[in-house]
């Protein structure tokens, strides 16, 4: 029991805070892909971008479940598709609303994480 407690504390995880763990249920690969894409598009030093982009995905994970994140980010990405395929998504009112919510959450995360 002491070993497990020590491991949790060493990793910065409070064993009495299971709600905090549930709020960050994103798969690691999803977090890595988000950070890499964000850092690629960021201006400035790469190391700084990695920290800020990691902060952003953590902030998003606090606001959205992973399932909602997939839903909202897919809608936001689909709106940028050109042609007929994109028009289908642009005509879908709920998709536009999901994309708008996602962009607002991203904007809040950007501000909180000092992304310019």
């Amino acid at each position: 029991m002491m070993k497990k407690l020590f491991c949790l504390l060493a990793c910065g995880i409070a064993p009495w805070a299971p709600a905090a763990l549930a709020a960050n249920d994103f798969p690691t690969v999803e977090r890595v892909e988000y950070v890499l894409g964000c850092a690629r598009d960021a201006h400035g030093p790469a190391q700084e971008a990695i920290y800020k982009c990691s902060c952003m995905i953590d902030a998003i994970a606090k606001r959205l479940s992973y399932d909602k994140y997939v839903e909202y980010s897919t809608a936001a990405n689909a709106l940028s598709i050109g042609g007929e395929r994109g028009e289908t998504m642009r005509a879908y009112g709920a998709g536009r609303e999901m994309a708008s919510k996602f962009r607002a959450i991203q904007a809040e995360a950007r501000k909180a994480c000092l992304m310019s």
Side-chain angles (χ1 to χ4, degrees), residues 69-102:
Y69 167 79
V70 170
E71 201 176 314
Y72 286 14
S73 65
T74 300
N77 290 332
L79 288 177
S80 66
I81 297 171
E84 278 182 36
R85 291 176 54 210
E87 184 56 37
T88 301
M89 193 59 189
R90 287 187 290 277
Y92 180 53
R96 287 194 313 271
E97 186 177 326
M98 286 186 280
S100 177
K101 287 180 183 178
F102 183 68

PDB file of all heavy atoms in Angstrom, residues 69-102:
ATOM      1  N   TYR A  69     -14.909  15.635 -27.010  1.00  0.00           N
ATOM      2  CA  TYR A  69     -13.759  16.205 -27.710  1.00  0.00           C
ATOM      3  C   TYR A  69     -13.704  15.679 -29.144  1.00  0.00           C
ATOM      4  O   TYR A  69     -13.534  16.454 -30.095  1.00  0.00           O
ATOM      5  CB  TYR A  69     -12.463  15.871 -26.975  1.00  0.00           C
ATOM      6  CG  TYR A  69     -11.226  16.161 -27.779  1.00  0.00           C
ATOM      7  CD1 TYR A  69     -10.735  17.453 -27.895  1.00  0.00           C
ATOM      8  CD2 TYR A  69     -10.554  15.144 -28.450  1.00  0.00           C
ATOM      9  CE1 TYR A  69      -9.611  17.733 -28.654  1.00  0.00           C
ATOM     10  CE2 TYR A  69      -9.428  15.411 -29.205  1.00  0.00           C
ATOM     11  CZ  TYR A  69      -8.959  16.700 -29.309  1.00  0.00           C
ATOM     12  OH  TYR A  69      -7.848  16.970 -30.063  1.00  0.00           O
ATOM     13  N   VAL A  70     -13.863  14.370 -29.306  1.00  0.00           N
ATOM     14  CA  VAL A  70     -13.825  13.770 -30.647  1.00  0.00           C
ATOM     15  C   VAL A  70     -14.957  14.333 -31.497  1.00  0.00           C
ATOM     16  O   VAL A  70     -14.744  14.724 -32.650  1.00  0.00           O
ATOM     17  CB  VAL A  70     -13.902  12.228 -30.560  1.00  0.00           C
ATOM     18  CG1 VAL A  70     -14.115  11.613 -31.935  1.00  0.00           C
ATOM     19  CG2 VAL A  70     -12.652  11.665 -29.914  1.00  0.00           C
ATOM     20  N   GLU A  71     -16.133  14.403 -30.925  1.00  0.00           N
ATOM     21  CA  GLU A  71     -17.301  14.911 -31.638  1.00  0.00           C
ATOM     22  C   GLU A  71     -17.107  16.368 -32.067  1.00  0.00           C
ATOM     23  O   GLU A  71     -17.296  16.722 -33.228  1.00  0.00           O
ATOM     24  CB  GLU A  71     -18.504  14.802 -30.701  1.00  0.00           C
ATOM     25  CG  GLU A  71     -19.847  14.807 -31.342  1.00  0.00           C
ATOM     26  CD  GLU A  71     -20.943  14.584 -30.307  1.00  0.00           C
ATOM     27  OE1 GLU A  71     -20.814  13.687 -29.461  1.00  0.00           O
ATOM     28  OE2 GLU A  71     -21.916  15.352 -30.360  1.00  0.00           O
ATOM     29  N   TYR A  72     -16.718  17.205 -31.126  1.00  0.00           N
ATOM     30  CA  TYR A  72     -16.581  18.634 -31.396  1.00  0.00           C
ATOM     31  C   TYR A  72     -15.409  18.930 -32.332  1.00  0.00           C
ATOM     32  O   TYR A  72     -15.527  19.740 -33.241  1.00  0.00           O
ATOM     33  CB  TYR A  72     -16.387  19.405 -30.092  1.00  0.00           C
ATOM     34  CG  TYR A  72     -17.621  19.558 -29.237  1.00  0.00           C
ATOM     35  CD1 TYR A  72     -18.777  18.822 -29.439  1.00  0.00           C
ATOM     36  CD2 TYR A  72     -17.631  20.457 -28.193  1.00  0.00           C
ATOM     37  CE1 TYR A  72     -19.897  18.970 -28.639  1.00  0.00           C
ATOM     38  CE2 TYR A  72     -18.741  20.622 -27.381  1.00  0.00           C
ATOM     39  CZ  TYR A  72     -19.868  19.874 -27.619  1.00  0.00           C
ATOM     40  OH  TYR A  72     -20.969  20.037 -26.826  1.00  0.00           O
ATOM     41  N   SER A  73     -14.267  18.299 -32.096  1.00  0.00           N
ATOM     42  CA  SER A  73     -13.106  18.576 -32.945  1.00  0.00           C
ATOM     43  C   SER A  73     -13.323  18.052 -34.356  1.00  0.00           C
ATOM     44  O   SER A  73     -12.878  18.673 -35.329  1.00  0.00           O
ATOM     45  CB  SER A  73     -11.827  17.998 -32.338  1.00  0.00           C
ATOM     46  OG  SER A  73     -11.882  16.591 -32.282  1.00  0.00           O
ATOM     47  N   THR A  74     -14.025  16.931 -34.499  1.00  0.00           N
ATOM     48  CA  THR A  74     -14.343  16.407 -35.833  1.00  0.00           C
ATOM     49  C   THR A  74     -15.231  17.388 -36.576  1.00  0.00           C
ATOM     50  O   THR A  74     -15.003  17.665 -37.760  1.00  0.00           O
ATOM     51  CB  THR A  74     -15.013  15.030 -35.719  1.00  0.00           C
ATOM     52  OG1 THR A  74     -14.120  14.133 -35.057  1.00  0.00           O
ATOM     53  CG2 THR A  74     -15.376  14.474 -37.090  1.00  0.00           C
ATOM     54  N   ALA A  75     -16.233  17.914 -35.883  1.00  0.00           N
ATOM     55  CA  ALA A  75     -17.120  18.898 -36.514  1.00  0.00           C
ATOM     56  C   ALA A  75     -16.327  20.134 -36.935  1.00  0.00           C
ATOM     57  O   ALA A  75     -16.510  20.646 -38.045  1.00  0.00           O
ATOM     58  CB  ALA A  75     -18.243  19.280 -35.557  1.00  0.00           C
ATOM     59  N   ALA A  76     -15.446  20.622 -36.069  1.00  0.00           N
ATOM     60  CA  ALA A  76     -14.651  21.812 -36.385  1.00  0.00           C
ATOM     61  C   ALA A  76     -13.745  21.558 -37.594  1.00  0.00           C
ATOM     62  O   ALA A  76     -13.618  22.422 -38.471  1.00  0.00           O
ATOM     63  CB  ALA A  76     -13.821  22.232 -35.178  1.00  0.00           C
ATOM     64  N   ASN A  77     -13.133  20.388 -37.662  1.00  0.00           N
ATOM     65  CA  ASN A  77     -12.263  20.062 -38.792  1.00  0.00           C
ATOM     66  C   ASN A  77     -13.057  19.860 -40.076  1.00  0.00           C
ATOM     67  O   ASN A  77     -12.606  20.236 -41.157  1.00  0.00           O
ATOM     68  CB  ASN A  77     -11.428  18.823 -38.490  1.00  0.00           C
ATOM     69  CG  ASN A  77     -10.388  19.083 -37.443  1.00  0.00           C
ATOM     70  OD1 ASN A  77      -9.914  20.200 -37.278  1.00  0.00           O
ATOM     71  ND2 ASN A  77     -10.031  18.052 -36.695  1.00  0.00           N
ATOM     72  N   ALA A  78     -14.234  19.266 -39.956  1.00  0.00           N
ATOM     73  CA  ALA A  78     -15.044  18.984 -41.143  1.00  0.00           C
ATOM     74  C   ALA A  78     -15.531  20.259 -41.812  1.00  0.00           C
ATOM     75  O   ALA A  78     -15.734  20.281 -43.029  1.00  0.00           O
ATOM     76  CB  ALA A  78     -16.224  18.090 -40.769  1.00  0.00           C
ATOM     77  N   LEU A  79     -15.733  21.319 -41.049  1.00  0.00           N
ATOM     78  CA  LEU A  79     -16.206  22.567 -41.640  1.00  0.00           C
ATOM     79  C   LEU A  79     -15.189  23.180 -42.595  1.00  0.00           C
ATOM     80  O   LEU A  79     -15.543  23.984 -43.452  1.00  0.00           O
ATOM     81  CB  LEU A  79     -16.562  23.573 -40.545  1.00  0.00           C
ATOM     82  CG  LEU A  79     -17.828  23.256 -39.754  1.00  0.00           C
ATOM     83  CD1 LEU A  79     -18.024  24.280 -38.649  1.00  0.00           C
ATOM     84  CD2 LEU A  79     -19.038  23.205 -40.653  1.00  0.00           C
ATOM     85  N   SER A  80     -13.930  22.793 -42.451  1.00  0.00           N
ATOM     86  CA  SER A  80     -12.894  23.366 -43.312  1.00  0.00           C
ATOM     87  C   SER A  80     -12.708  22.583 -44.610  1.00  0.00           C
ATOM     88  O   SER A  80     -11.919  22.990 -45.469  1.00  0.00           O
ATOM     89  CB  SER A  80     -11.565  23.443 -42.558  1.00  0.00           C
ATOM     90  OG  SER A  80     -11.095  22.135 -42.291  1.00  0.00           O
ATOM     91  N   ILE A  81     -13.430  21.483 -44.781  1.00  0.00           N
ATOM     92  CA  ILE A  81     -13.322  20.688 -46.008  1.00  0.00           C
ATOM     93  C   ILE A  81     -14.023  21.441 -47.140  1.00  0.00           C
ATOM     94  O   ILE A  81     -15.157  21.886 -46.985  1.00  0.00           O
ATOM     95  CB  ILE A  81     -13.966  19.297 -45.822  1.00  0.00           C
ATOM     96  CG1 ILE A  81     -13.232  18.510 -44.742  1.00  0.00           C
ATOM     97  CG2 ILE A  81     -13.964  18.521 -47.145  1.00  0.00           C
ATOM     98  CD1 ILE A  81     -13.940  17.218 -44.353  1.00  0.00           C
ATOM     99  N   GLY A  82     -13.355  21.568 -48.251  1.00  0.00           N
ATOM    100  CA  GLY A  82     -13.941  22.269 -49.388  1.00  0.00           C
ATOM    101  C   GLY A  82     -14.868  21.385 -50.207  1.00  0.00           C
ATOM    102  O   GLY A  82     -14.914  20.169 -50.029  1.00  0.00           O
ATOM    103  N   GLY A  83     -15.608  21.984 -51.073  1.00  0.00           N
ATOM    104  CA  GLY A  83     -16.442  21.242 -52.010  1.00  0.00           C
ATOM    105  C   GLY A  83     -17.705  20.661 -51.412  1.00  0.00           C
ATOM    106  O   GLY A  83     -18.172  21.075 -50.363  1.00  0.00           O
ATOM    107  N   GLU A  84     -18.259  19.654 -52.119  1.00  0.00           N
ATOM    108  CA  GLU A  84     -19.510  19.037 -51.710  1.00  0.00           C
ATOM    109  C   GLU A  84     -19.425  18.377 -50.340  1.00  0.00           C
ATOM    110  O   GLU A  84     -20.358  18.457 -49.549  1.00  0.00           O
ATOM    111  CB  GLU A  84     -19.933  17.971 -52.733  1.00  0.00           C
ATOM    112  CG  GLU A  84     -20.645  18.507 -53.934  1.00  0.00           C
ATOM    113  CD  GLU A  84     -21.073  17.390 -54.866  1.00  0.00           C
ATOM    114  OE1 GLU A  84     -21.456  16.311 -54.386  1.00  0.00           O
ATOM    115  OE2 GLU A  84     -20.992  17.609 -56.082  1.00  0.00           O
ATOM    116  N   ARG A  85     -18.331  17.687 -50.093  1.00  0.00           N
ATOM    117  CA  ARG A  85     -18.191  16.993 -48.807  1.00  0.00           C
ATOM    118  C   ARG A  85     -18.239  17.981 -47.656  1.00  0.00           C
ATOM    119  O   ARG A  85     -18.884  17.738 -46.646  1.00  0.00           O
ATOM    120  CB  ARG A  85     -16.893  16.197 -48.779  1.00  0.00           C
ATOM    121  CG  ARG A  85     -16.932  15.008 -49.722  1.00  0.00           C
ATOM    122  CD  ARG A  85     -15.631  14.258 -49.786  1.00  0.00           C
ATOM    123  NE  ARG A  85     -15.187  13.857 -48.473  1.00  0.00           N
ATOM    124  CZ  ARG A  85     -13.903  13.713 -48.143  1.00  0.00           C
ATOM    125  NH1 ARG A  85     -12.973  13.942 -49.033  1.00  0.00           N
ATOM    126  NH2 ARG A  85     -13.565  13.339 -46.932  1.00  0.00           N
ATOM    127  N   GLY A  86     -17.602  19.092 -47.797  1.00  0.00           N
ATOM    128  CA  GLY A  86     -17.626  20.104 -46.758  1.00  0.00           C
ATOM    129  C   GLY A  86     -18.977  20.784 -46.646  1.00  0.00           C
ATOM    130  O   GLY A  86     -19.409  21.150 -45.553  1.00  0.00           O
ATOM    131  N   GLU A  87     -19.648  20.930 -47.783  1.00  0.00           N
ATOM    132  CA  GLU A  87     -20.971  21.577 -47.785  1.00  0.00           C
ATOM    133  C   GLU A  87     -21.972  20.773 -46.968  1.00  0.00           C
ATOM    134  O   GLU A  87     -22.817  21.346 -46.289  1.00  0.00           O
ATOM    135  CB  GLU A  87     -21.482  21.759 -49.219  1.00  0.00           C
ATOM    136  CG  GLU A  87     -22.789  22.513 -49.306  1.00  0.00           C
ATOM    137  CD  GLU A  87     -22.743  23.882 -48.641  1.00  0.00           C
ATOM    138  OE1 GLU A  87     -21.696  24.566 -48.730  1.00  0.00           O
ATOM    139  OE2 GLU A  87     -23.735  24.274 -48.017  1.00  0.00           O
ATOM    140  N   THR A  88     -21.856  19.466 -46.995  1.00  0.00           N
ATOM    141  CA  THR A  88     -22.737  18.619 -46.190  1.00  0.00           C
ATOM    142  C   THR A  88     -22.605  18.971 -44.717  1.00  0.00           C
ATOM    143  O   THR A  88     -23.587  19.116 -43.999  1.00  0.00           O
ATOM    144  CB  THR A  88     -22.392  17.132 -46.408  1.00  0.00           C
ATOM    145  OG1 THR A  88     -22.539  16.828 -47.795  1.00  0.00           O
ATOM    146  CG2 THR A  88     -23.283  16.231 -45.593  1.00  0.00           C
ATOM    147  N   MET A  89     -21.389  19.157 -44.269  1.00  0.00           N
ATOM    148  CA  MET A  89     -21.162  19.495 -42.866  1.00  0.00           C
ATOM    149  C   MET A  89     -21.572  20.931 -42.568  1.00  0.00           C
ATOM    150  O   MET A  89     -22.139  21.208 -41.522  1.00  0.00           O
ATOM    151  CB  MET A  89     -19.682  19.272 -42.512  1.00  0.00           C
ATOM    152  CG  MET A  89     -19.415  19.287 -41.048  1.00  0.00           C
ATOM    153  SD  MET A  89     -20.377  18.008 -40.238  1.00  0.00           S
ATOM    154  CE  MET A  89     -20.097  18.435 -38.557  1.00  0.00           C
ATOM    155  N   ARG A  90     -21.289  21.829 -43.493  1.00  0.00           N
ATOM    156  CA  ARG A  90     -21.659  23.228 -43.271  1.00  0.00           C
ATOM    157  C   ARG A  90     -23.171  23.405 -43.207  1.00  0.00           C
ATOM    158  O   ARG A  90     -23.672  24.288 -42.526  1.00  0.00           O
ATOM    159  CB  ARG A  90     -21.042  24.114 -44.355  1.00  0.00           C
ATOM    160  CG  ARG A  90     -19.538  24.295 -44.172  1.00  0.00           C
ATOM    161  CD  ARG A  90     -18.967  25.308 -45.145  1.00  0.00           C
ATOM    162  NE  ARG A  90     -18.968  24.815 -46.514  1.00  0.00           N
ATOM    163  CZ  ARG A  90     -18.031  24.029 -47.043  1.00  0.00           C
ATOM    164  NH1 ARG A  90     -17.027  23.619 -46.289  1.00  0.00           N
ATOM    165  NH2 ARG A  90     -18.101  23.637 -48.297  1.00  0.00           N
ATOM    166  N   ALA A  91     -23.929  22.544 -43.901  1.00  0.00           N
ATOM    167  CA  ALA A  91     -25.392  22.619 -43.887  1.00  0.00           C
ATOM    168  C   ALA A  91     -25.988  21.996 -42.612  1.00  0.00           C
ATOM    169  O   ALA A  91     -27.153  22.198 -42.313  1.00  0.00           O
ATOM    170  CB  ALA A  91     -25.957  21.907 -45.111  1.00  0.00           C
ATOM    171  N   TYR A  92     -25.193  21.273 -41.880  1.00  0.00           N
ATOM    172  CA  TYR A  92     -25.641  20.582 -40.668  1.00  0.00           C
ATOM    173  C   TYR A  92     -25.523  21.543 -39.483  1.00  0.00           C
ATOM    174  O   TYR A  92     -24.441  21.816 -38.997  1.00  0.00           O
ATOM    175  CB  TYR A  92     -24.789  19.326 -40.473  1.00  0.00           C
ATOM    176  CG  TYR A  92     -25.101  18.491 -39.268  1.00  0.00           C
ATOM    177  CD1 TYR A  92     -26.387  18.036 -39.016  1.00  0.00           C
ATOM    178  CD2 TYR A  92     -24.093  18.136 -38.386  1.00  0.00           C
ATOM    179  CE1 TYR A  92     -26.661  17.249 -37.919  1.00  0.00           C
ATOM    180  CE2 TYR A  92     -24.362  17.355 -37.278  1.00  0.00           C
ATOM    181  CZ  TYR A  92     -25.650  16.914 -37.053  1.00  0.00           C
ATOM    182  OH  TYR A  92     -25.921  16.139 -35.963  1.00  0.00           O
ATOM    183  N   GLY A  93     -26.658  22.095 -39.046  1.00  0.00           N
ATOM    184  CA  GLY A  93     -26.667  23.110 -37.993  1.00  0.00           C
ATOM    185  C   GLY A  93     -26.027  22.661 -36.699  1.00  0.00           C
ATOM    186  O   GLY A  93     -25.286  23.408 -36.064  1.00  0.00           O
ATOM    187  N   ALA A  94     -26.294  21.419 -36.282  1.00  0.00           N
ATOM    188  CA  ALA A  94     -25.712  20.918 -35.028  1.00  0.00           C
ATOM    189  C   ALA A  94     -24.194  20.835 -35.141  1.00  0.00           C
ATOM    190  O   ALA A  94     -23.465  21.069 -34.166  1.00  0.00           O
ATOM    191  CB  ALA A  94     -26.302  19.559 -34.673  1.00  0.00           C
ATOM    192  N   GLY A  95     -23.700  20.527 -36.324  1.00  0.00           N
ATOM    193  CA  GLY A  95     -22.253  20.459 -36.548  1.00  0.00           C
ATOM    194  C   GLY A  95     -21.607  21.827 -36.401  1.00  0.00           C
ATOM    195  O   GLY A  95     -20.535  21.958 -35.808  1.00  0.00           O
ATOM    196  N   ARG A  96     -22.268  22.835 -36.935  1.00  0.00           N
ATOM    197  CA  ARG A  96     -21.749  24.207 -36.799  1.00  0.00           C
ATOM    198  C   ARG A  96     -21.733  24.626 -35.332  1.00  0.00           C
ATOM    199  O   ARG A  96     -20.802  25.286 -34.886  1.00  0.00           O
ATOM    200  CB  ARG A  96     -22.582  25.175 -37.639  1.00  0.00           C
ATOM    201  CG  ARG A  96     -22.338  25.057 -39.127  1.00  0.00           C
ATOM    202  CD  ARG A  96     -22.901  26.239 -39.909  1.00  0.00           C
ATOM    203  NE  ARG A  96     -24.253  26.591 -39.551  1.00  0.00           N
ATOM    204  CZ  ARG A  96     -25.358  26.085 -40.097  1.00  0.00           C
ATOM    205  NH1 ARG A  96     -25.258  25.186 -41.052  1.00  0.00           N
ATOM    206  NH2 ARG A  96     -26.555  26.487 -39.707  1.00  0.00           N
ATOM    207  N   GLU A  97     -22.761  24.222 -34.594  1.00  0.00           N
ATOM    208  CA  GLU A  97     -22.826  24.561 -33.171  1.00  0.00           C
ATOM    209  C   GLU A  97     -21.716  23.860 -32.385  1.00  0.00           C
ATOM    210  O   GLU A  97     -21.068  24.472 -31.537  1.00  0.00           O
ATOM    211  CB  GLU A  97     -24.191  24.170 -32.601  1.00  0.00           C
ATOM    212  CG  GLU A  97     -24.403  24.619 -31.181  1.00  0.00           C
ATOM    213  CD  GLU A  97     -25.790  24.270 -30.671  1.00  0.00           C
ATOM    214  OE1 GLU A  97     -26.742  24.284 -31.461  1.00  0.00           O
ATOM    215  OE2 GLU A  97     -25.891  23.982 -29.468  1.00  0.00           O
ATOM    216  N   MET A  98     -21.476  22.579 -32.694  1.00  0.00           N
ATOM    217  CA  MET A  98     -20.395  21.845 -32.021  1.00  0.00           C
ATOM    218  C   MET A  98     -19.046  22.488 -32.330  1.00  0.00           C
ATOM    219  O   MET A  98     -18.215  22.645 -31.437  1.00  0.00           O
ATOM    220  CB  MET A  98     -20.387  20.380 -32.451  1.00  0.00           C
ATOM    221  CG  MET A  98     -21.502  19.556 -31.862  1.00  0.00           C
ATOM    222  SD  MET A  98     -21.358  17.804 -32.265  1.00  0.00           S
ATOM    223  CE  MET A  98     -22.027  17.786 -33.915  1.00  0.00           C
ATOM    224  N   ALA A  99     -18.845  22.847 -33.584  1.00  0.00           N
ATOM    225  CA  ALA A  99     -17.586  23.475 -33.989  1.00  0.00           C
ATOM    226  C   ALA A  99     -17.399  24.798 -33.274  1.00  0.00           C
ATOM    227  O   ALA A  99     -16.297  25.118 -32.813  1.00  0.00           O
ATOM    228  CB  ALA A  99     -17.558  23.671 -35.500  1.00  0.00           C
ATOM    229  N   SER A 100     -18.466  25.556 -33.145  1.00  0.00           N
ATOM    230  CA  SER A 100     -18.401  26.847 -32.457  1.00  0.00           C
ATOM    231  C   SER A 100     -18.039  26.663 -30.982  1.00  0.00           C
ATOM    232  O   SER A 100     -17.197  27.394 -30.441  1.00  0.00           O
ATOM    233  CB  SER A 100     -19.745  27.558 -32.589  1.00  0.00           C
ATOM    234  OG  SER A 100     -19.732  28.763 -31.886  1.00  0.00           O
ATOM    235  N   LYS A 101     -18.646  25.689 -30.334  1.00  0.00           N
ATOM    236  CA  LYS A 101     -18.326  25.400 -28.925  1.00  0.00           C
ATOM    237  C   LYS A 101     -16.867  24.980 -28.782  1.00  0.00           C
ATOM    238  O   LYS A 101     -16.186  25.410 -27.861  1.00  0.00           O
ATOM    239  CB  LYS A 101     -19.244  24.310 -28.380  1.00  0.00           C
ATOM    240  CG  LYS A 101     -20.650  24.767 -28.131  1.00  0.00           C
ATOM    241  CD  LYS A 101     -21.508  23.629 -27.599  1.00  0.00           C
ATOM    242  CE  LYS A 101     -22.940  24.063 -27.415  1.00  0.00           C
ATOM    243  NZ  LYS A 101     -23.783  22.952 -26.941  1.00  0.00           N
ATOM    244  N   PHE A 102     -16.410  24.131 -29.706  1.00  0.00           N
ATOM    245  CA  PHE A 102     -15.026  23.661 -29.640  1.00  0.00           C
ATOM    246  C   PHE A 102     -14.051  24.817 -29.815  1.00  0.00           C
ATOM    247  O   PHE A 102     -13.077  24.928 -29.071  1.00  0.00           O
ATOM    248  CB  PHE A 102     -14.773  22.584 -30.693  1.00  0.00           C
ATOM    249  CG  PHE A 102     -13.390  22.009 -30.628  1.00  0.00           C
ATOM    250  CD1 PHE A 102     -13.005  21.228 -29.555  1.00  0.00           C
ATOM    251  CD2 PHE A 102     -12.469  22.265 -31.629  1.00  0.00           C
ATOM    252  CE1 PHE A 102     -11.721  20.704 -29.482  1.00  0.00           C
ATOM    253  CE2 PHE A 102     -11.191  21.748 -31.564  1.00  0.00           C
ATOM    254  CZ  PHE A 102     -10.816  20.964 -30.487  1.00  0.00           C
TER     255      PHE A 102
END
